Structures are given as structure tokens and as C-alpha cells.
Amino acid sequence: GDSVTQMEGPVTLSEEAFLTINCTYTATGYPSLFWYVQYPGEGLQLLLKATKADDKGSNKGFEATYRKETTSFHLEKGSVQVSDSAVYFCASDGGTSYGKLTFGQGTILTVHP
Amino acid sequence: NAGVTQTPKFRVLKTGQSMTLLCAQDMNHEYMYWYRQDPGMGLRLIHYSVGEGTTAKGEVPDGYNVSRLKKQNFLLGLESAAPSQTSVYFCASSYPRNVERGPGTQYFGPGTRLLVL
């Protein structure tokens, strides 16, 4: 079946550092890919998405490019802030019609001042 | 709009007890989902529904039942709770994929923390 693998965490950075969180996927179809963010005590929120190869999703300074050749969707941000501290989840819908998501295990990001 | 709401926020059960988790959405979404979140495992799909009166199994359906009698509500039931069902449960809803909007964005509720002793 479909799967999503995220880099093992947690990740600890200083404010203004560069962030990369790796995500790779396997799928039998043509999936759409997502990054969700979960702040402490809250549900998940969509951060960005990409629907086809070479698409770049972006939001709040975060970016991720859908790379079909490497089956990857790495999340990047040039300069992180303390407020970016959260858990980040990569997800794939496997190209299914009903939007069922397969999630990675999540990466805890902590940003220190 | 309240978005997606979940009731209750927290519950403690004894092994063998039953309970129902309620999810409600006010966005007129067709699709609704129940996930469980466990440490180091991300979220896993329990059951989902693509419309009023329909339900289907997800990745980890055993020990759970669901019902979607009204479009805006999606209920998750535990008939006989087990310690392995200790988890945080999230409900989500979305619109179907279409040509203009692409895949539906899933909107999540705040979660229900369940402890089974």
C-alpha cells in the first residue's frame, strides 16, 4: 500500500536558521501531497499542498516541491521563528477519489530564540 | 463558522465500557473522516464517509463503529473499550476533489483525548 516516510526527529533550531524536513512517499497512483502543521493542543491545519509533479506549494514562508523522480516532498523554510515550533506531518492521498490521507510519523520542530 | 467540533475533549473509560465520540461540521462538506494519533505513528485512518448514510473502513477499523445519519455529523463508537484504544482521536471533513479546486483540503477538529484503563 501507499506509505509516507518523514525524517526522524525531533529537530531543534535557533531562530533564523534554515529548516529542511525530508519526506518521501510511495504510491501506486498519482497522489497529491500535503504538509500539515499541529500546534500544541490543537488539531492539524493544512500548511501547503501540491497536486502534480514539479508543483511547488508555499505558505507562510514554507515551501515544498513535488519531485516525482525522487518521490519526495521536502519541506523548507529559509528563516524559522519561535512561533514555527510545532509538529509537522507530510501526507499523501494516494491519488484516491475519496481523499483518504496516509500520514508520515510527524516531525517535532522546536525553535529557540 | 465553528468549523469542525468534537465532543468530548477528554474522557477516561474502564476496559469494557462503551462510548460515542461526536464530530460535527458546519461547512457542508461531503466527506468526513476519523483518525487516531499515537506517538511516533502519525495519524491513521479508522473509518470515513463520503456522504450521508455511507461509511467505509480505513486502515485500523477493528473495535470501532461509525454512523453518518446526518451530513453534518459523524459518530465514532467504541462498543467495548480496550487499553489499546487509548489515543487522541481526530475528526476531519473535506469537499470532494474536483477539476477547479483539486483535492479537498481536510479540516480537522481539536481532538478527543481518550484514556482506557
Side-chain angles (χ1 to χ4, degrees), chain A residues 11-90:
Chain A
V11 175
T12 302
L13 296 172
S14 297
E15 206 165 25
E16 299 184 2
F18 184 85
L19 169 69
T20 299
I21 301 177
N22 291 339
C23 172
T24 57
Y25 68 92
T26 63
T28 53
Y30 299 93
S32 295
L33 302 173
F34 308 81
W35 277 101
Y36 279 83
V37 58
Q38 183 181 30
Y39 298 103
E42 299 183 8
L44 280 69
Q45 305 172 25
L46 178 68
L47 181 59
L48 53 84
K49 66 182 178 183
T51 60
K52 60 183 186 298
D54 299 326
D55 266 3
K56 178 185 284 188
S58 61
N59 186 26
K60 300 181 181 180
F62 290 89
E63 293 182 340
T65 301
Y66 190 142
R67 301 287 188 198
K68 187 177 181 181
E69 63 276 12
T70 55
T71 62
S72 64
F73 193 54
H74 304 323
L75 182 68
E76 297 182 336
K77 186 175 186 182
S79 177
V80 294
Q81 305 300 312
V82 172
S83 58
D84 293 327
S85 297
V87 184
Y88 292 81
F89 292 94
C90 185

Coordinates of all heavy atoms in Angstrom, one line a residue, chain A residues 11-90:
Chain A
V11 N 13.6 18.0 15.7 CA 14.5 18.9 15.1 C 14.5 20.2 16.0 O 13.5 20.7 16.3 CB 14.1 19.3 13.7 CG1 15.0 20.4 13.2 CG2 14.1 18.1 12.7
T12 N 15.7 20.6 16.4 CA 15.9 21.8 17.2 C 16.8 22.8 16.5 O 17.9 22.4 16.1 CB 16.5 21.4 18.6 OG1 15.7 20.4 19.3 CG2 16.6 22.6 19.5
L13 N 16.3 24.0 16.4 CA 17.0 25.0 15.6 C 17.0 26.3 16.4 O 16.1 26.5 17.3 CB 16.3 25.3 14.3 CG 16.4 24.1 13.2 CD1 15.5 24.5 12.0 CD2 17.8 23.8 12.8
S14 N 17.9 27.2 16.1 CA 17.9 28.5 16.6 C 17.1 29.4 15.6 O 17.0 29.1 14.4 CB 19.3 29.1 16.7 OG 20.1 28.3 17.6
E15 N 16.5 30.5 16.2 CA 15.7 31.4 15.4 C 16.6 31.9 14.2 O 17.8 32.1 14.3 CB 15.3 32.6 16.2 CG 14.0 33.3 15.7 CD 13.4 34.2 16.8 OE1 14.2 34.6 17.7 OE2 12.2 34.4 16.7
E16 N 15.9 32.0 13.0 CA 16.5 32.5 11.8 C 17.3 31.4 11.1 O 17.9 31.6 10.0 CB 17.4 33.7 11.9 CG 16.5 34.9 12.5 CD 17.4 36.2 12.6 OE1 18.5 36.2 12.2 OE2 16.8 37.2 13.0
A17 N 17.4 30.2 11.6 CA 18.1 29.1 10.9 C 17.3 28.6 9.7 O 16.0 28.8 9.7 CB 18.4 28.0 11.9
F18 N 17.9 27.8 8.8 CA 17.3 27.2 7.7 C 16.7 25.9 8.1 O 17.3 25.1 8.8 CB 18.3 27.0 6.6 CG 17.7 26.5 5.3 CD1 17.1 27.3 4.4 CD2 17.7 25.1 5.0 CE1 16.5 26.9 3.2 CE2 17.1 24.6 3.9 CZ 16.5 25.5 3.0
L19 N 15.5 25.6 7.6 CA 14.8 24.4 8.0 C 14.6 23.5 6.8 O 14.2 24.0 5.7 CB 13.4 24.7 8.6 CG 12.5 23.5 8.8 CD1 13.0 22.5 9.9 CD2 11.1 23.9 9.1
T20 N 14.9 22.2 6.9 CA 14.5 21.2 6.0 C 14.0 20.0 6.7 O 14.6 19.5 7.7 CB 15.7 20.7 5.1 OG1 16.2 21.8 4.3 CG2 15.2 19.6 4.1
I21 N 12.8 19.6 6.4 CA 12.2 18.3 6.9 C 12.0 17.4 5.7 O 11.2 17.8 4.8 CB 10.9 18.5 7.7 CG1 11.2 19.5 8.8 CG2 10.4 17.2 8.2 CD1 9.9 19.8 9.6
N22 N 12.6 16.3 5.6 CA 12.5 15.4 4.5 C 11.3 14.5 4.5 O 10.8 14.1 5.6 CB 13.7 14.5 4.4 CG 15.0 15.2 4.1 OD1 14.9 16.3 3.5 ND2 16.1 14.7 4.4
C23 N 10.7 14.3 3.4 CA 9.5 13.5 3.2 C 9.6 12.7 1.9 O 9.9 13.3 0.9 CB 8.3 14.3 3.2 SG 6.7 13.4 2.9
T24 N 9.5 11.4 1.9 CA 9.4 10.6 0.7 C 8.1 9.8 0.8 O 7.6 9.5 1.8 CB 10.6 9.7 0.6 OG1 10.7 8.8 1.7 CG2 11.9 10.4 0.4
Y25 N 7.6 9.4 -0.4 CA 6.4 8.7 -0.5 C 6.4 7.5 -1.4 O 7.3 7.5 -2.3 CB 5.2 9.6 -0.9 CG 5.4 10.1 -2.3 CD1 4.8 9.4 -3.4 CD2 6.2 11.2 -2.6 CE1 4.9 9.8 -4.7 CE2 6.3 11.6 -4.0 CZ 5.7 10.9 -5.0 OH 5.9 11.3 -6.3
T26 N 5.6 6.6 -1.3 CA 5.3 5.5 -2.3 C 3.9 5.5 -2.6 O 3.0 5.7 -1.7 CB 5.7 4.1 -1.8 OG1 4.9 3.8 -0.7 CG2 7.2 4.1 -1.3
A27 N 3.5 5.4 -3.9 CA 2.1 5.4 -4.3 C 2.0 4.6 -5.6 O 2.9 4.7 -6.4 CB 1.6 6.8 -4.4
T28 N 0.9 3.9 -5.7 CA 0.6 3.2 -7.0 C -0.1 4.2 -8.0 O 0.0 3.9 -9.2 CB -0.3 2.0 -6.7 OG1 -1.5 2.5 -6.0 CG2 0.4 1.0 -5.8
G29 N -0.7 5.2 -7.5 CA -1.4 6.1 -8.4 C -0.6 7.4 -8.5 O 0.6 7.4 -8.4
Y30 N -1.3 8.5 -8.7 CA -0.7 9.8 -8.9 C -1.2 10.7 -7.7 O -2.2 11.4 -7.9 CB -1.1 10.4 -10.2 CG -0.6 9.6 -11.4 CD1 -1.4 8.6 -12.0 CD2 0.7 9.8 -11.9 CE1 -0.9 7.8 -13.0 CE2 1.2 9.0 -12.9 CZ 0.4 8.0 -13.5 OH 0.9 7.2 -14.5
P31 N -0.5 10.7 -6.6 CA -1.0 11.3 -5.4 C -0.9 12.8 -5.4 O -0.1 13.4 -6.2 CB -0.2 10.7 -4.3 CG 1.1 10.5 -5.0 CD 0.8 10.0 -6.4
S32 N -1.7 13.5 -4.6 CA -1.5 14.8 -4.2 C -0.8 14.7 -2.9 O -1.0 13.8 -2.1 CB -2.8 15.6 -4.1 OG -3.4 15.8 -5.3
L33 N 0.1 15.7 -2.6 CA 0.9 15.7 -1.4 C 0.7 16.9 -0.6 O 0.4 18.0 -1.1 CB 2.4 15.6 -1.8 CG 2.8 14.4 -2.7 CD1 4.2 14.5 -3.1 CD2 2.6 13.1 -1.9
F34 N 0.8 16.7 0.7 CA 0.4 17.8 1.7 C 1.4 17.9 2.8 O 2.0 16.9 3.2 CB -1.0 17.5 2.3 CG -2.1 17.2 1.3 CD1 -2.2 15.9 0.8 CD2 -3.0 18.2 1.0 CE1 -3.2 15.6 -0.1 CE2 -4.0 17.9 0.1 CZ -4.1 16.6 -0.5
W35 N 1.5 19.1 3.4 CA 2.1 19.3 4.7 C 1.1 19.9 5.6 O 0.5 20.9 5.3 CB 3.4 20.2 4.6 CG 4.6 19.5 4.2 CD1 5.2 19.4 2.9 CD2 5.4 18.7 5.0 NE1 6.3 18.7 2.9 CE2 6.5 18.2 4.2 CE3 5.4 18.3 6.3 CZ2 7.5 17.4 4.7 CZ3 6.4 17.5 6.8 CH2 7.5 17.0 6.0
Y36 N 0.9 19.2 6.7 CA 0.1 19.7 7.8 C 0.9 20.1 9.0 O 2.0 19.5 9.2 CB -1.0 18.7 8.2 CG -2.2 18.5 7.3 CD1 -2.1 17.8 6.1 CD2 -3.3 19.2 7.6 CE1 -3.2 17.6 5.3 CE2 -4.5 19.1 6.8 CZ -4.4 18.3 5.6 OH -5.5 18.2 4.8
V37 N 0.4 21.1 9.8 CA 1.1 21.5 11.0 C 0.2 21.4 12.2 O -1.1 21.7 12.0 CB 1.6 22.9 10.8 CG1 0.5 23.9 10.5 CG2 2.4 23.4 12.1
Q38 N 0.7 20.9 13.3 CA -0.1 20.8 14.5 C 0.6 21.6 15.6 O 1.7 21.2 16.1 CB -0.2 19.3 14.9 CG -1.1 19.1 16.1 CD -1.2 17.6 16.5 OE1 -0.3 16.8 16.2 NE2 -2.3 17.2 17.0
Y39 N -0.1 22.6 16.1 CA 0.4 23.4 17.2 C 0.0 22.7 18.5 O -1.0 22.0 18.5 CB 0.0 24.9 17.1 CG 0.5 25.6 15.9 CD1 -0.4 25.8 14.8 CD2 1.8 26.0 15.8 CE1 0.1 26.4 13.6 CE2 2.3 26.6 14.7 CZ 1.4 26.8 13.6 OH 1.9 27.4 12.5
P40 N 0.7 23.0 19.6 CA 0.3 22.3 20.8 C -1.1 22.4 21.2 O -1.7 23.5 21.3 CB 1.3 23.0 21.8 CG 2.4 23.4 21.0 CD 1.8 23.8 19.7
G41 N -1.7 21.2 21.5 CA -3.1 21.2 22.0 C -4.2 21.5 20.9 O -5.3 21.6 21.2
E42 N -3.7 21.5 19.6 CA -4.7 21.8 18.6 C -4.8 20.6 17.6 O -4.0 19.7 17.6 CB -4.3 23.1 17.9 CG -4.3 24.3 18.7 CD -4.0 25.6 18.0 OE1 -3.9 25.5 16.7 OE2 -3.8 26.6 18.6
G43 N -5.8 20.8 16.7 CA -5.8 19.8 15.6 C -4.9 20.2 14.5 O -4.1 21.2 14.6
L44 N -4.9 19.4 13.4 CA -4.0 19.7 12.3 C -4.5 20.8 11.4 O -5.7 20.9 11.2 CB -3.7 18.4 11.4 CG -2.7 17.4 12.0 CD1 -3.2 16.8 13.2 CD2 -2.4 16.4 10.9
Q45 N -3.6 21.6 10.8 CA -4.0 22.6 9.8 C -3.2 22.4 8.6 O -2.0 22.1 8.6 CB -3.7 24.0 10.3 CG -4.3 24.4 11.7 CD -3.7 25.7 12.1 OE1 -3.3 26.6 11.4 NE2 -3.7 25.9 13.5
L46 N -3.8 22.6 7.4 CA -3.1 22.5 6.2 C -2.1 23.6 6.1 O -2.4 24.8 6.2 CB -4.0 22.5 5.0 CG -3.4 22.5 3.6 CD1 -2.8 21.1 3.4 CD2 -4.3 22.8 2.5
L47 N -0.8 23.3 5.8 CA 0.2 24.3 5.6 C 0.4 24.6 4.1 O 0.4 25.7 3.7 CB 1.5 23.8 6.2 CG 2.7 24.7 6.1 CD1 2.4 26.0 6.8 CD2 4.0 24.0 6.7
L48 N 0.5 23.5 3.3 CA 0.6 23.7 1.9 C 0.4 22.3 1.2 O 0.3 21.3 1.8 CB 2.0 24.2 1.5 CG 3.2 23.5 2.0 CD1 3.6 22.3 1.1 CD2 4.4 24.4 2.1
K49 N 0.2 22.4 -0.1 CA -0.1 21.2 -0.9 C 0.4 21.3 -2.3 O 0.6 22.5 -2.8 CB -1.6 20.9 -0.9 CG -2.5 21.9 -1.6 CD -3.9 21.5 -1.6 CE -4.8 22.5 -2.3 NZ -6.3 22.2 -2.1
A50 N 0.6 20.2 -3.0 CA 0.9 20.2 -4.4 C 0.2 19.0 -5.1 O 0.1 17.9 -4.5 CB 2.4 20.0 -4.6
T51 N -0.3 19.2 -6.2 CA -1.1 18.2 -6.9 C -0.5 17.4 -8.0 O -1.0 16.4 -8.4 CB -2.4 18.8 -7.4 OG1 -2.1 19.8 -8.3 CG2 -3.2 19.5 -6.2
K52 N 0.6 17.9 -8.5 CA 1.3 17.1 -9.6 C 2.8 17.4 -9.6 O 3.3 18.3 -8.9 CB 0.7 17.5 -10.9 CG 0.8 18.9 -11.3 CD 0.1 19.2 -12.7 CE 0.3 20.6 -13.2 NZ -0.2 21.6 -12.2
A53 N 3.5 16.6 -10.4 CA 4.9 16.7 -10.4 C 5.4 18.1 -10.8 O 4.8 18.8 -11.6 CB 5.5 15.7 -11.4
D54 N 6.4 18.5 -10.1 CA 7.1 19.8 -10.2 C 6.3 21.0 -9.7 O 6.7 22.2 -9.7 CB 7.4 20.1 -11.7 CG 8.4 19.1 -12.2 OD1 9.3 18.6 -11.5 OD2 8.3 18.7 -13.4
D55 N 5.1 20.7 -9.1 CA 4.3 21.8 -8.5 C 5.1 22.2 -7.2 O 5.7 21.4 -6.5 CB 3.0 21.3 -8.0 CG 1.9 21.6 -9.1 OD1 2.2 22.1 -10.1 OD2 0.7 21.2 -8.8
K56 N 5.0 23.5 -6.9 CA 5.6 24.0 -5.6 C 4.5 24.5 -4.8 O 3.8 25.4 -5.2 CB 6.7 25.0 -5.8 CG 7.2 25.6 -4.5 CD 8.2 26.8 -4.8 CE 9.5 26.3 -5.3 NZ 10.5 27.4 -5.4
G57 N 4.3 24.0 -3.6 CA 3.4 24.6 -2.6 C 4.1 25.5 -1.7 O 5.3 25.3 -1.4
S58 N 3.4 26.6 -1.3 CA 4.1 27.6 -0.5 C 3.0 28.3 0.4 O 1.9 28.5 0.0 CB 4.9 28.6 -1.3 OG 4.0 29.3 -2.1
N59 N 3.5 28.6 1.6 CA 2.6 29.3 2.6 C 3.4 29.7 3.8 O 4.2 28.9 4.3 CB 1.5 28.4 3.0 CG 0.4 29.1 3.9 OD1 0.2 30.3 3.8 ND2 -0.3 28.3 4.7
K60 N 3.2 30.9 4.2 CA 3.9 31.4 5.5 C 5.4 31.3 5.4 O 6.0 31.1 6.5 CB 3.3 30.7 6.7 CG 1.9 30.9 6.9 CD 1.4 30.2 8.2 CE -0.1 30.3 8.4 NZ -0.6 29.6 9.6
G61 N 6.0 31.4 4.2 CA 7.5 31.2 4.1 C 7.9 29.8 4.0 O 9.1 29.6 3.7
F62 N 7.0 28.8 4.1 CA 7.4 27.4 3.9 C 7.2 27.1 2.4 O 6.3 27.6 1.8 CB 6.5 26.5 4.7 CG 6.8 26.6 6.2 CD1 6.1 27.5 7.0 CD2 7.7 25.7 6.8 CE1 6.3 27.6 8.4 CE2 7.9 25.8 8.2 CZ 7.2 26.7 9.0
E63 N 8.0 26.2 1.9 CA 7.9 25.7 0.5 C 8.2 24.2 0.5 O 8.9 23.7 1.3 CB 8.9 26.4 -0.4 CG 8.7 27.9 -0.6 CD 9.7 28.5 -1.5 OE1 10.8 27.8 -1.7 OE2 9.4 29.5 -2.1
A64 N 7.5 23.6 -0.5 CA 7.8 22.2 -0.8 C 7.6 21.9 -2.3 O 6.5 22.4 -2.8 CB 7.0 21.2 0.1
T65 N 8.4 21.2 -2.9 CA 8.3 20.9 -4.3 C 8.1 19.4 -4.5 O 8.8 18.6 -4.0 CB 9.5 21.3 -5.1 OG1 9.7 22.7 -4.9 CG2 9.4 21.1 -6.6
Y66 N 7.1 19.1 -5.3 CA 6.7 17.7 -5.7 C 7.7 17.2 -6.7 O 7.7 17.5 -7.8 CB 5.3 17.7 -6.3 CG 4.6 16.5 -6.5 CD1 3.2 16.4 -6.2 CD2 5.2 15.3 -7.0 CE1 2.5 15.3 -6.5 CE2 4.5 14.2 -7.2 CZ 3.1 14.1 -6.9 OH 2.4 13.0 -7.2
R67 N 8.5 16.2 -6.2 CA 9.6 15.7 -7.1 C 9.2 14.2 -7.3 O 9.4 13.3 -6.5 CB 10.9 15.7 -6.4 CG 11.4 17.1 -6.0 CD 11.8 17.9 -7.2 NE 12.5 19.2 -6.8 CZ 12.6 20.2 -7.6 NH1 12.2 20.1 -8.8 NH2 13.2 21.3 -7.1
K68 N 8.7 14.0 -8.5 CA 8.3 12.6 -8.9 C 9.5 11.7 -9.1 O 9.5 10.5 -8.7 CB 7.4 12.6 -10.1 CG 6.8 11.3 -10.5 CD 5.9 11.4 -11.7 CE 5.3 10.1 -12.1 NZ 4.4 10.2 -13.3
E69 N 10.6 12.2 -9.6 CA 11.7 11.4 -9.9 C 12.4 10.8 -8.6 O 13.0 9.8 -8.7 CB 12.8 12.2 -10.8 CG 13.4 13.4 -10.1 CD 12.5 14.6 -10.2 OE1 11.4 14.5 -10.6 OE2 13.1 15.7 -9.9
T70 N 12.3 11.6 -7.6 CA 12.9 11.1 -6.3 C 11.8 10.8 -5.3 O 12.1 10.5 -4.1 CB 13.8 12.2 -5.7 OG1 13.0 13.4 -5.6 CG2 15.0 12.4 -6.5
T71 N 10.5 10.8 -5.7 CA 9.3 10.6 -4.8 C 9.5 11.3 -3.5 O 9.4 10.7 -2.4 CB 9.1 9.1 -4.6 OG1 10.2 8.5 -3.9 CG2 8.8 8.3 -5.9
S72 N 9.7 12.6 -3.6 CA 10.0 13.4 -2.4 C 9.1 14.6 -2.4 O 8.7 15.1 -3.4 CB 11.4 13.7 -2.3 OG 11.8 14.6 -3.3
F73 N 9.0 15.2 -1.2 CA 8.2 16.4 -1.0 C 8.7 17.1 0.3 O 8.1 17.2 1.3 CB 6.7 16.1 -0.8 CG 5.8 17.3 -0.9 CD1 5.8 18.1 -2.0 CD2 4.8 17.5 0.1 CE1 4.9 19.2 -2.1 CE2 3.9 18.5 0.0 CZ 4.0 19.4 -1.1
H74 N 10.0 17.5 0.2 CA 10.7 18.0 1.4 C 10.2 19.4 1.7 O 10.0 20.3 0.8 CB 12.2 18.1 1.1 CG 12.8 16.8 0.7 ND1 12.4 15.6 1.3 CD2 13.8 16.5 -0.2 CE1 13.1 14.6 0.7 NE2 13.9 15.1 -0.2
L75 N 10.0 19.7 3.0 CA 9.6 21.0 3.5 C 10.8 21.9 3.8 O 11.7 21.4 4.5 CB 8.7 20.8 4.7 CG 8.1 22.1 5.3 CD1 7.0 22.7 4.4 CD2 7.5 21.8 6.7
E76 N 10.7 23.1 3.4 CA 11.9 24.0 3.7 C 11.3 25.4 4.1 O 10.3 25.8 3.7 CB 12.7 24.2 2.4 CG 13.4 23.0 1.9 CD 14.3 23.2 0.7 OE1 14.0 24.2 0.0 OE2 15.2 22.4 0.5
K77 N 12.2 26.1 4.9 CA 11.9 27.5 5.2 C 13.2 28.1 5.5 O 14.1 27.6 6.2 CB 11.0 27.6 6.5 CG 10.6 29.1 6.8 CD 9.7 29.2 7.9 CE 9.2 30.7 8.0 NZ 8.3 30.9 9.2
G78 N 13.4 29.3 4.9 CA 14.7 30.0 4.9 C 15.1 30.5 6.3 O 16.3 30.5 6.6
S79 N 14.1 30.9 7.1 CA 14.4 31.6 8.4 C 13.3 31.3 9.3 O 12.2 31.9 9.3 CB 14.6 33.1 8.2 OG 14.8 33.7 9.4
V80 N 13.5 30.3 10.3 CA 12.4 29.9 11.1 C 12.3 30.9 12.3 O 13.3 31.6 12.7 CB 12.7 28.5 11.7 CG1 12.6 27.5 10.5 CG2 14.0 28.4 12.4
Q81 N 11.1 30.9 12.9 CA 10.8 31.7 14.0 C 10.3 30.8 15.2 O 10.0 29.7 15.0 CB 9.7 32.7 13.7 CG 10.0 33.6 12.5 CD 11.2 34.4 12.6 OE1 11.4 35.1 13.7 NE2 12.1 34.4 11.7
V82 N 10.4 31.4 16.4 CA 10.0 30.6 17.6 C 8.5 30.2 17.4 O 8.2 29.0 17.8 CB 10.1 31.5 18.8 CG1 9.5 30.8 20.0 CG2 11.6 31.8 19.1
S83 N 7.7 31.0 16.7 CA 6.3 30.6 16.5 C 6.1 29.5 15.6 O 5.0 29.0 15.4 CB 5.5 31.8 16.0 OG 6.1 32.3 14.8
D84 N 7.2 29.0 14.9 CA 7.1 27.9 14.0 C 7.2 26.5 14.7 O 7.0 25.5 14.2 CB 8.2 27.9 12.9 CG 8.0 29.1 11.9 OD1 6.8 29.4 11.7 OD2 9.0 29.6 11.5
S85 N 7.5 26.6 16.0 CA 7.6 25.4 16.8 C 6.3 24.7 16.8 O 5.2 25.2 17.2 CB 8.0 25.7 18.3 OG 9.2 26.4 18.3
A86 N 6.3 23.4 16.4 CA 5.1 22.6 16.2 C 5.5 21.2 15.7 O 6.6 20.9 15.5 CB 4.1 23.3 15.1
V87 N 4.5 20.4 15.4 CA 4.7 19.1 14.8 C 4.3 19.2 13.3 O 3.1 19.7 13.1 CB 3.9 18.0 15.5 CG1 4.3 16.6 14.9 CG2 4.2 18.0 17.0
Y88 N 5.1 18.7 12.4 CA 4.8 18.8 11.0 C 4.6 17.4 10.4 O 5.4 16.5 10.7 CB 6.0 19.5 10.3 CG 6.1 21.0 10.7 CD1 6.7 21.4 11.9 CD2 5.5 22.0 9.9 CE1 6.7 22.7 12.2 CE2 5.5 23.3 10.2 CZ 6.1 23.7 11.4 OH 6.2 25.0 11.8
F89 N 3.5 17.3 9.7 CA 3.2 16.0 9.1 C 3.1 16.1 7.6 O 2.5 17.0 7.0 CB 1.8 15.5 9.6 CG 1.7 15.2 11.0 CD1 1.3 16.1 11.9 CD2 2.0 13.9 11.5 CE1 1.2 15.8 13.3 CE2 1.9 13.6 12.8 CZ 1.5 14.5 13.7
C90 N 3.8 15.2 6.9 CA 3.7 15.0 5.5 C 2.6 14.0 5.2 O 2.4 13.0 6.0 CB 5.0 14.5 4.9 SG 5.1 14.4 3.2

